[in-house]
Amino acid sequence: MPRQLCFIVWGEIQERDHHALGIIGARRTTHTGASLRKKLAYQLAYAGLDCNQRLARGIDTAAHQGALAAKGRTIAVIGSGVSEVISARKPRACRENL
């Protein structure tokens, strides 16, 4: 696989993006784990912090959902092209986060 030489940004990079946290965890998670991460992301976003996660299942999805529920910003980090992610995962969930 060729090495990526640049970042592609979909949307705007804002000054507040300098204050962000990533919430990490497993793709295969329990209901309790996902619920806790969603609440944590909600609280962080409500406090004004961005939440940066991969665009993957499990904890990542829960964190994106929590931040968006708080009307906060969430930044999805992916290692491949957007079209590859959307076709391989749940299309509706990916598009909601993008």
Side-chain angles (χ1 to χ4, degrees):
M1 178 176 281
R3 187 182 276 186
Q4 279 207 270
L5 300 175
C6 66
F7 286 106
I8 299 170
V9 176
W10 187 356
E12 293 181 18
I13 297 176
Q14 299 178 3
E15 185 67 30
R16 68 178 276 183
D17 294 337
H18 293 274
H19 303 286
L21 291 174
I23 298 173
I24 60 171
R27 285 188 183 142
R28 295 180 66 193
T29 185
T30 64
H31 175 73
T32 303
S35 179
L36 288 171
R37 294 328 185 277
K38 189 173 184 177
K39 288 177 185 177
L40 177 60
Y42 181 96
Q43 292 170 345
L44 292 170
Y46 189 80
L49 295 170
D50 290 349
C51 293
N52 302 342
Q53 288 80 230
R54 296 173 303 144
L55 189 58
R57 298 179 183 121
I59 296 300
D60 297 326
T61 298
H64 285 298
Q65 290 170 344
L68 293 172
K71 305 289 189 240
R73 277 180 59 85
T74 181
I75 298 173
V77 180
I78 57 175
S80 63
V82 174
S83 60
E84 291 177 39
V85 173
I86 290 175
S87 64
R89 305 265 189 255
K90 298 175 185 174
R92 193 178 108 242
C94 290
R95 286 191 180 94
E96 286 173 1
N97 288 337
L98 295 173

